[in-house]
Amino acid sequence: MMSVIPGSQDLYLFHEGSLFQSYKVMGAHFTEHEGVRGVRFTVWAPHAREVRVIGDFNFWNGSGHVMNRVSTWGVWSLFVPGVKDGEYYKYEIVTTHGTLVWKADPYAFYSELKPGTASRIYELNGYEWKDQAWQAGKQQHSSYNRPMNIYEVHMGTWKKKAEGEYYTYRELADELIDYVAHMGYTHIELMPLAEHPYDRSWGYQATGYYAVTSRFGTPKDFMYFVDRCHQTGIGVIMDWVPGHFVKDDHGLRQFDGQPLYEYNDPQRAEKPEWGTLSFDFTKPEVISFLISNALFWLDMFHIDGLRVDAVASLLYLNFGKPREQWIRNAHGGDENPEAIEFLKKLNQTVFAQYPQVLMMAEDSSDWPLVTAPVYAGGLGFNYKWNMGWMNDMLKYMEMDPLFRKGSHNLLTFSFMYTYSENYVLPLSHDEVVHGKKSLLNKMPGDYWQKFANLRVLYGYMMGHPGKKLLFMGGEFGQFDEWKDLEDLEWEMLGYDSHRGMQYYVRDLNHLYLQEKALWELDHQQEGFSWIDADDSSQSITSFIRKSSDPDDFLIIVCNFTPVTHIGFRIGVPRAGEYIERFNSDIPVYGGSGQMNTGPLKTETFSWHYQPYSVRMTIPPLATVILKPSKLRRKASTAKRERG
């Protein structure tokens, strides 16, 4: 049973910045005192003259529920008997100037449905998880040499009911998870689910870091969603936003009448690009709050990983600020040393408790060693979004194919650094909003060519080393950019081209799952070699992806022009026969049907610095994947075993 007063050791660790389960101490928790059941409320408000608890249970009059200051550095606590599950509450804070502010609980587990802003009492414990097999399996495999193909989802707009109402967590568990599994994805990445007041912030400007949004149901409903994902073999990654928070009055801004969670200096606190405030990483209590929050989602909701948003905005003091507002650190630099130390401490702490967790940095900067361990001088993440690859590829794909030959380096430059970090290749929501157009509508050419261009982009992405991420709607070629108040254009599946695109992505995803060469050595140079990186005149690239089995490899050929090549010679590393394992140009996908229908037999004619070569058909705007004949591979294996 929880003590009626927070323990002195917990308070010491909280103020030291190392109470990493502070959500078990702070906030509202059911307990008993002298045989009476009630709730212990605990909040950090060091500048407050007085703090009161107000809520349904006292008719929003806190005069009888004045909290006790239980630490020198400003923690307040009070046991209130008779409070029931689901009741609403806030903190009424008397500032040093005698004014009153009303704040939601920073550690609340549940919030009033918008537009309400109160916190709700909620018993978070008691859900019976059924994902034991998933959790056990996760400990047996490193993610580095496993497939990872992520479907990024905004729950409020993936699909809506006829009346425009949201699907609940439990309804999405039935609709979304089966769809993701059918499409061949390994993970769902959820855009931020921490409670937030404004739908069009997409969750990135939060008020309730410990409260999964009530838009779609209760915290236990969300637990059910995650549980069902795991039972279906789908991992769950959640966007997490430690860089900034929203300014709404009931949130963290000037929580006790003065800057508390944010920097005292407005120049350091303000994020003018987003109209938000930065967390103050010099305050130990803020470190306890944030690292505990990361662990909270892993502890209580069994989340498999966190995609840490806007890491560059933490690393640099002047990120997104006009030059006239620039400031410098004590050494005259642009770096934010406290935030850098926070990121290192975050990753060290999380990995100490969850060695197989996914900690992904969404970092648009060129900061070195983002995915290197802290002891090796890194930030300690295990994955980083490859924003350079994404920008180069989209710039290239938006060009008319006639002019692509002059920018061939955009296709190949990423291989100069692809092994410098453990990368995820993202085609995320950020690329299909704010007038940027949908992925399909970025593609040049006529209607047919748009779809063909998108197919070759996806094929090249699947062949490129690195884990994969695609935003919802991209799998069926959503034509309009993402509308953050409407659901996806599911009606487009009534048209052959969009339905063919969905078939294509489904089959490409399942091919990815089946072929170890596409993921087992993602982060090792031994897993990749060029056949021809320099055919800029024809805008064709060809390369080999390899697994740990020397006989298990794929040859990937991508044609970025609408020209068909018959009898095209390509170098191959082994003699024998090659079969067409995959072709983006088959008619069911909407292609023109240019295929390699029979085995391709090698010739003892060296080409592309390879000892052998084959002649093949390369379709227009297409990806073709060749694989050594199985019979040939078996013969090679038998010969090797005979010695």
Side-chain angles (χ1 to χ4, degrees), residues 149 153 214 235 252 307 318 350 379 445 455 488 501 594:
N149 188 7
V153 173
S214 57
L252 300 177
R307 176 265 199 187
N318 300 307
V350 168
L379 292 181
R455 288 194 299 270
L488 298 180
M501 178 61 73
Q594 299 293 321

Side-chain angles (χ1 to χ4, degrees), residues 212-224:
V212 65
T213 180
S214 57
R215 285 166 172 79
F216 316 117
T218 70
K220 286 178 182 170
D221 291 336
F222 181 59
M223 291 177 187
Y224 174 83

Side-chain angles (χ1 to χ4, degrees), residues 458-485:
Y458 290 164
Y460 188 72
M461 174 184 181
M462 201 61 79
H464 193 293
K467 308 309 182 187
K468 325 297 177 189
L469 179 142
L470 181 65
F471 183 57
M472 64 183 196
E475 76 277 13
F476 61 80
Q478 168 126 340
F479 203 84
D480 285 341
E481 69 176 21
W482 175 47
K483 302 181 181 70
D484 54 20
L485 295 179

Side-chain angles (χ1 to χ4, degrees), residues 351-365:
F351 282 114
Q353 297 192 34
Y354 292 95
Q356 299 300 340
V357 75
L358 306 172
M359 292 295 287
M360 298 179 169
E362 188 264 318
D363 176 27
S364 57
S365 77

Side-chain angles (χ1 to χ4, degrees), residues 64-169:
H65 291 114
V66 178
M67 302 182 76
N68 303 302
R69 190 167 185 139
V70 295
S71 82
T72 305
W73 299 283
V75 172
W76 303 74
S77 191
L78 180 70
F79 173 77
V80 180
V83 177
K84 297 179 176 59
D85 200 18
E87 292 195 79
Y88 297 96
Y89 72 100
K90 280 187 176 182
Y91 296 115
E92 183 177 64
I93 297 173
V94 183
T95 73
T96 53
H97 303 293
T99 58
L100 295 180
V101 293
W102 295 270
K103 293 289 185 176
D105 188 348
Y107 283 88
F109 297 146
Y110 193 27
S111 296
E112 183 179 8
L113 184 63
K114 68 179 184 75
T117 59
S119 302
R120 295 188 73 177
I121 308 295
Y122 193 83
E123 178 53 79
L124 201 59
N125 297 308
Y127 179 83
E128 295 185 13
W129 289 88
K130 300 179 178 64
D131 66 346
Q132 291 80 9
W134 169 268
Q135 298 293 355
K138 205 165 59 170
Q139 305 312 312
Q140 298 171 12
H141 302 288
S142 166
S143 64
Y144 299 124
N145 56 13
R146 300 292 297 167
M148 189 186 302
N149 188 7
I150 305 164
Y151 187 62
E152 187 188 24
V153 173
H154 180 262
M155 278 187 156
T157 55
W158 180 74
K159 189 179 286 188
K160 287 189 174 183
K161 298 178 182 178
E163 306 79 18
E165 295 178 355
Y166 295 130
Y167 279 80
T168 67
Y169 294 121

